[in-house]
Amino acid sequence: MKIRIALSAVLLLLTSMAEGQAVPTAVRSVGGSPIVPNLDGVVHYALTGSEVIQVGYYGSSQVTKSTALSGDVAYTATSTTRPFSMTFAGGVILPNQQGQDFSSFWNLTASQGYIARHWIFNLSDTFSFLPQSPTTGLSGIPGVGDLGSTPVPGPVEGPAGGILSAAGNRYTNSLTGSVERQISHATSISGTGSWSVLNFLDKNASGLDSTQISGMVAINQRLDSRSSASLDAVYSTFSYSGKVFINGFAQPDIETRGLNLSYQRLLSKSLSVSVSAGPQWVSSSNSTVIPSNLNVAVSGGVTYSRGLTNVSVGYSRGVSAGSGVLSGALSDSVYGSLGHTYGRKWVASLTTGYSHSSGLTQLAAGNSLPVNLTFDTVFGGAQVRRGFGPHYSGYVSYTVQNQSSNFPLGAQNIPLAAQSALNGTNHTIGIGVTFTPRSTRLGQF
């Protein structure tokens, strides 16, 4: 089982709560138990060997088998004024059948913070290389044993997450910087800037490359010892590379502007809630292809952690780059996770998610009125792990994915990138053994 460790954002979050600053809205957790470990300044790592069986991924009745060798590394510095943390999850997938290709997956996140008397600075970068769309776990690859591992957003939260695509190898990189200034005992102002990119690497890949640039300014107010609120303004741009033509027009760039009011409340030591909502204006460089519109952006979450049980539920609504499938999408997403430890030898994890993504682009469907391409995506995973000693454990996992569209894939006027989207249901079964030489409890490494 992978480490349940938050990056330095956790430390900054705790600091913000202690000083009365408004904390960010809930981040959707693809893992199970949000357990913050000791900041021990020790490099922790895990090695896992597993057998992975996929049914229906490459065809409705096709069964593939492969061997995965993976590793995880995590480090969190002990400094409280210059917090640094790093998490890595990667490995190789070896084919067991003729016709299969060798593949690999790599995910690296690093975060550096600086905390002064009235200032908090943070710079973080996340890089991911994957052979398929990410779904569950720290690596985003189902069946490799890291389900229910961490509250830190995995690859599914990045530019490649959302709509499932079969466009082959892809990489993403997200760079984020933030600064917060304490004005008074209960008030602060903050700013955040981010740059994200999604690129597909295969020679004949049909995925849509995209770049997103965002900026946000906010004023944060502590209401009491358990509550805080904030008001922020957000601006984002989405651009796409390559020659993409829609209804005879080149793919336009997209801009969004938004105002959000956020509220966070610590209901008890075990239960917390957060919600953020506000108007979001959408425009593009070609209103014929993507007309201007106004919608509501929402995010919210509930987390519960007590004893050996951890639960989290989240919802979000807003505009994204489209996951390499759509040229801009308005998505409604719901995620939930559950983790529980049974005694000293058993850990069970469950995660599930659903998203409805509607393309911003107006498509001409024959002689009918223009319509928007939509995708409904569902995934869920379960994993049971048993310890065999202080440093060895074994696991069994099951993951299911289903995706459908309102257009038959391959229909006329459907962009090539959308035709690469997965359609139907596929299943993944994983079984493996993990070695964690520096773990202090089952479920961490």
Side-chain angles (χ1 to χ4, degrees), residues 36 62 76 109 144 148 168 179 183 231 233 258 260 265-266 297 314 418 428 437 439:
V36 181
Q62 187 171 356
T76 304
T109 296
V144 298
V179 58
I183 298 176
L231 177 66
N260 301 289
R265 173 72 175 175
L266 185 63
T428 302
S439 64

Side-chain angles (χ1 to χ4, degrees), residues 86-437:
M86 179 275 296
T87 302
F88 168 83
V92 296
I93 301 176
L94 308 175
N96 287 344
Q97 298 172 221
Q98 187 175 3
Q100 285 184 268
D101 295 326
F102 170 90
S103 60
S104 62
F105 55 96
W106 313 97
N107 301 278
L108 176 65
T109 296
S111 178
Q112 176 67 65
Y114 177 75
I115 301 175
R117 182 178 179 182
H118 298 295
W119 293 88
I120 298 177
F121 300 90
N122 193 67
L123 181 65
S124 63
D125 186 73
T126 298
F127 174 84
S128 175
F129 173 86
L130 297 171
Q132 63 186 59
S133 295
T135 51
T136 62
L138 186 61
S139 65
I141 303 297
V144 298
D146 58 3
L147 183 64
S149 59
T150 175
V152 178
V156 71
E157 300 295 325
I163 306 171
L164 305 177
S165 168
N169 293 323
R170 68 210 67 184
Y171 78 85
T172 67
N173 194 75
S174 298
L175 179 65
T176 302
S178 65
V179 58
E180 187 167 6
R181 175 65 162 88
Q182 194 80 23
I183 298 176
S184 67
H185 178 68
T187 307
S188 70
I189 57 174
S190 59
T192 302
S194 65
W195 170 84
S196 299
V197 62
L198 167 63
N199 284 329
F200 292 86
L201 301 177
D202 291 357
K203 182 178 180 181
N204 298 318
S206 56
L208 185 60
D209 297 343
S210 63
T211 301
Q212 176 182 349
I213 300 175
S214 299
M216 181 188 73
V217 293
I219 181 168
N220 315 300
Q221 180 68 36
R222 183 184 64 180
L223 304 178
D224 55 44
S225 60
R226 291 190 172 189
S227 302
S228 60
S230 65
L231 177 66
D232 65 70
V234 185
Y235 174 78
S236 299
T237 64
F238 304 88
S239 59
Y240 303 87
S241 60
K243 295 182 178 180
V244 180
F245 293 93
I246 302 171
N247 300 337
F249 297 96
Q251 165 64 44
D253 294 337
I254 303 170
E255 293 183 355
T256 65
R257 299 171 177 84
L259 292 173
N260 301 289
L261 180 63
S262 304
Y263 174 77
Q264 302 83 29
R265 173 72 175 175
L266 185 63
L267 299 176
S268 68
K269 294 181 179 180
S270 304
L271 182 64
S272 63
V273 298
S274 64
V275 64
S276 176
Q280 185 178 55
W281 292 268
V282 182
S283 61
S284 74
S285 55
N286 188 334
S287 60
T288 302
V289 178
I290 300 180
S292 299
N293 64 86
L294 172 64
N295 60 73
V296 178
V298 180
S299 66
V302 178
T303 60
Y304 173 82
S305 178
R306 183 174 182 179
L308 303 176
T309 302
N310 300 275
V311 182
S312 65
V313 178
Y315 168 77
S316 68
R317 173 183 172 85
V319 172
S320 69
S323 310
V325 175
L326 297 174
S327 49
L330 176 62
S331 299
D332 291 90
S333 303
V334 180
Y335 291 81
S337 62
L338 170 66
H340 185 75
T341 300
Y342 299 87
R344 301 179 61 183
K345 293 187 176 181
W346 293 93
V347 174
S349 303
L350 177 68
T351 185
T352 185
Y354 165 78
S355 67
H356 174 81
S357 301
S358 178
L360 301 179
T361 303
Q362 299 272 311
L363 299 176
N367 296 323
S368 64
L369 295 175
V371 296
N372 298 87
L373 185 62
T374 64
F375 288 91
D376 290 285
T377 307
V378 181
F379 66 85
Q383 179 177 290
V384 176
R385 179 175 293 275
R386 188 187 191 282
F388 300 126
H391 304 303
Y392 289 92
S393 63
Y395 74 90
V396 176
S397 69
Y398 169 75
T399 304
V400 60
Q401 302 173 122
N402 175 270
Q403 185 165 272
S404 60
S405 173
N406 65 338
F407 269 68
L409 298 184
Q412 186 179 6
N413 297 326
I414 300 301
L416 183 61
Q419 297 180 32
S420 68
L422 292 176
N423 188 32
T425 303
N426 63 82
H427 311 265
T428 302
I429 300 172
I431 181 171
V433 176
T434 300
F435 172 59
T436 54

Side-chain angles (χ1 to χ4, degrees), residues 1-17:
M1 179 77 74
K2 315 304 181 191
I3 188 170
R4 295 181 171 96
I5 181 171
L7 302 180
S8 64
V10 170
L11 180 58
L12 297 180
L13 176 62
L14 297 177
T15 304
S16 297
M17 294 177 64

